[in-house]
Amino acid sequence: MNEIILDENIVRRIVRAIDKAIADDIPQYLQEHHKETNNAIIQLRGDCINENLRSFVVTDEVKLVPFKRYSWHGRLLVDHRNKITYSITTQNNLHAIPKKKDRTRPHFLQSVLAQENGSYEGQYVQESFFPMEMFDEETLENDYNDIIAGMLNPSEGYRHYVISYNAVNDELLDVKLEFIDKHFSTIAEASLNSYINPDFARLTNSGVEDVDISTDSNESVRDILGLKAGLRPSLKEIEKEA
């Protein structure tokens, strides 16, 4: 099955976690910490997103799995009920990952995709993309096991979705759920822009509380979506992130 299974309760909260980091957390940090330069902001954004995931998304059935790459600490979301794992990255970074050819170790997403999405194949294969053969199956499997640390068994049918986003300054412009194969080719995708809740406090500069994103805890999973691979939302082309 190449369709996307969209759990609205989970993805709404993921989008809120990203939006809050970009539109609220980073601006607040910059207001409170006046520095000559702010080179660490890109890394800080990821830290804020992960903190918000802990606050907004984690439940008894949705866990955050920590893993480490050198000095960088990452997180995967694991939805045990729907057997889906999630990672979050910018759209620019997602497109750049398979193009880097001098790796001595797999990018964590390469290992995750190889194990969880290895049986799927995108409809539009990019031959110029990163050749997975650079790392053999054993290397990818061992790396995946180190990442997931026994939190799940991929043979039980888990699949991986990437939540990719595009932001300029303190505005989240585009966010989507991407179902991709181990070669980073698109199987299907869905725009999540409808879950970007407008915060009218930002527009009016009046102090109101954060948008309430609470939903019924037993909200059912939305029907499986049949989506065309490669479908993109019609947004204006925006500048690349710094």
Side-chain angles (χ1 to χ4, degrees):
M1 295 176 60
N2 292 345
E3 297 85 2
I4 287 176
I5 302 172
L6 189 67
D7 189 318
E8 292 187 357
N9 188 27
I10 291 177
V11 297
R12 180 186 294 112
R13 291 169 181 269
I14 293 174
V15 172
R16 177 56 179 148
I18 299 170
D19 188 41
K20 184 176 185 298
I22 292 168
D24 296 333
D25 299 338
I26 299 302
Q28 180 179 347
Y29 174 86
L30 292 174
Q31 288 178 359
E32 296 175 352
H33 301 84
H34 300 285
K35 299 181 183 298
E36 184 69 25
T37 60
N38 291 287
N39 295 319
I41 291 302
I42 296 299
Q43 295 295 333
L44 180 61
R45 180 194 288 173
D47 292 340
C48 291
I49 290 173
N50 290 334
E51 186 70 18
N52 293 338
L53 292 176
R54 173 70 64 185
S55 299
F56 298 159
V57 187
V58 170
T59 65
D60 289 340
E61 294 181 323
V62 181
K63 305 297 183 182
L64 267 182
V65 176
F67 65 95
K68 186 177 180 181
R69 276 294 194 270
Y70 303 105
S71 60
W72 178 78
H73 294 258
R75 293 294 186 274
L76 287 179
L77 273 172
V78 179
D79 172 11
H80 288 292
R81 180 164 65 91
N82 296 311
K83 289 185 169 52
I84 296 169
T85 66
Y86 298 89
S87 60
I88 300 169
T89 189
T90 65
Q91 291 168 8
N92 285 344
N93 185 56
L94 180 60
H95 296 155
I97 290 170
K99 297 178 182 179
K100 186 173 182 180
K101 302 181 184 302
D102 58 349
R103 299 184 186 276
T104 58
R105 183 179 184 182
H107 187 280
F108 82 87
L109 196 50
Q110 292 169 330
S111 299
V112 172
L113 292 174
Q115 296 304 306
E116 296 186 17
N117 295 0
S119 61
Y120 299 96
E121 184 174 341
Q123 295 187 23
Y124 304 105
V125 178
Q126 301 281 347
E127 295 297 337
S128 61
F129 271 11
F130 179 87
M132 293 300 293
E133 291 75 16
M134 179 177 291
F135 301 107
D136 59 32
E137 292 184 6
E138 183 178 1
T139 298
L140 294 168
E141 182 178 0
N142 290 339
D143 188 48
Y144 175 82
N145 290 336
D146 288 341
I147 293 168
I148 211 66
M151 288 288 291
L152 61 85
N153 182 352
S155 66
E156 294 179 354
Y158 282 83
R159 60 169 66 179
H160 186 76
Y161 292 158
V162 179
I163 306 294
S164 67
Y165 70 89
N166 203 348
V168 173
N169 298 324
D170 59 353
E171 183 178 3
L172 179 60
L173 297 181
D174 185 27
V175 59
K176 64 187 68 172
L177 186 153
E178 303 201 41
F179 183 24
I180 56 180
D181 68 14
K182 65 180 183 179
H183 297 287
F184 288 71
S185 297
T186 299
I187 300 166
E189 65 179 36
S191 172
L192 303 181
N193 289 340
S194 63
Y195 299 118
I196 303 176
N197 293 321
D199 187 341
F200 295 103
R202 298 174 199 152
L203 302 178
T204 63
N205 291 323
S206 62
V208 298
E209 295 182 359
D210 282 340
V211 174
D212 183 4
I213 62 167
S214 61
T215 59
D216 189 347
S217 60
N218 63 358
E219 179 180 353
S220 62
V221 178
R222 189 177 181 179
D223 289 341
I224 294 176
L225 300 177
L227 300 170
K228 290 183 178 181
L231 183 63
R232 301 282 176 176
S234 56
L235 295 176
K236 290 182 179 179
E237 183 179 356
I238 61 179
E239 64 184 8
K240 293 183 178 179
E241 295 180 1

